[in-house]
Amino acid sequence: MKRSGPLFTLLAGLLLALFMLSLNVTSGTRSTSTGSESSGDVVPASPTPTASPPSGKPSPSPSPSPSKTTVPNADYAGRTDDDSSAIAVTLRDGKAVAYFCDGKDQESWLKGDVKADGSMRLTGQNGNVLTGDLKGKQIRGTVDMGQRKYGFTADKAVKPSGLYRATATVRGAEVDGGWIVLPSGQQVGILNRAGKPSPAPRIDPETGAVTVDGQKLTAKPVTP
């Protein structure tokens, strides 16, 4: 019994050592596991943003800028409100030329642009100004001749109605004639011989033929 006492003591110590070693291994595993879990809250990475899927509707195209439009090409002729004079206006590609004439000694050639809305401001020599507005088949406006303003109405004209002009040298003198052929067939015009105005002779509206001091001339339609 004396010899077995140390043996039991050795075995008890060995068992105690094995128990302590097993306890340490288990405690270390838990500690490692706990440390791994408590290493901090890991925030998952935000997903990469992706383009939103197409809605199925095509992207609207940019609206084209409105194109500039001009009033239709046409001829207009009429009389002043007081019936003392005649007026003719020719429109071509946004440009206008007009002729004011009393058939005696007062006249004016005017020209300028016509806006897309049909309004116009035409100018001539001596500061003469025509302002008018095209509405439908009619131009209404005024002609400022300096000493006096004339209101007028000019209706759309159909050939041979309209505006005509002839220039030439007759017997050594410069001749310049202007004619307004009204829708009624009436003609109003002035013929200048060397700058001296007088009533113009009648032209053939179908051909423009006219005789001035024995010489045959051709009055042609006027365009801007």
Side-chain angles (χ1 to χ4, degrees):
M1 295 299 292
K2 292 181 181 179
R3 290 181 180 180
S4 61
L7 181 59
F8 286 125
T9 301
L10 179 61
L11 290 174
L14 181 59
L15 291 174
L16 179 61
L18 289 174
F19 175 77
M20 294 299 294
L21 179 61
S22 175
L23 182 61
N24 287 338
V25 171
T26 303
S27 177
T29 301
R30 290 181 178 177
S31 176
T32 302
S33 176
T34 304
S36 175
E37 293 177 357
S38 61
S39 61
D41 294 335
V42 179
V43 180
S46 300
T48 303
T50 58
S52 57
S55 63
K57 297 181 180 179
S59 300
S61 302
S63 300
S65 57
S67 58
K68 182 179 180 181
T69 58
T70 57
V71 296
N73 297 339
D75 302 319
Y76 300 83
R79 299 193 66 88
T80 56
D81 295 345
D82 62 2
D83 203 34
S84 66
S85 306
I87 185 77
V89 184
T90 299
L91 308 183
R92 295 290 187 276
D93 302 325
K95 303 288 185 180
V97 59
Y99 182 52
F100 170 89
C101 175
D102 68 356
K104 301 174 184 177
D105 56 9
Q106 190 176 33
E107 65 175 351
S108 181
W109 291 94
L110 310 103
K111 60 183 179 179
D113 296 329
V114 183
K115 295 182 179 180
D117 62 358
S119 62
M120 65 194 77
R121 185 180 187 277
L122 315 182
T123 57
Q125 293 183 346
N126 304 318
N128 300 333
V129 177
L130 179 152
T131 56
D133 289 286
L134 172 61
K135 301 295 183 183
K137 298 182 179 180
Q138 190 177 78
I139 297 176
R140 291 187 59 84
T142 61
V143 178
D144 187 348
M145 293 295 292
Q147 299 296 324
R148 182 179 173 184
K149 287 185 179 181
Y150 299 81
F152 72 88
T153 300
D155 296 317
K156 189 173 183 179
V158 179
K159 296 297 183 184
S161 299
L163 179 57
Y164 298 82
R165 190 173 191 177
T167 57
T169 299
V170 178
R171 296 183 179 181
E174 294 294 327
V175 174
D176 183 6
W179 289 265
I180 298 172
V181 179
L182 299 169
S184 63
Q186 181 185 5
Q187 296 184 15
V188 182
I190 288 180
L191 184 70
N192 284 280
R193 295 179 177 85
K196 295 182 179 180
S198 62
R202 185 178 179 84
I203 66 172
D204 181 346
E206 297 294 339
T207 64
V210 60
T211 300
V212 177
D213 297 337
Q215 183 172 327
K216 292 184 178 181
L217 305 177
T218 301
K220 298 180 179 181
V222 178
T223 57

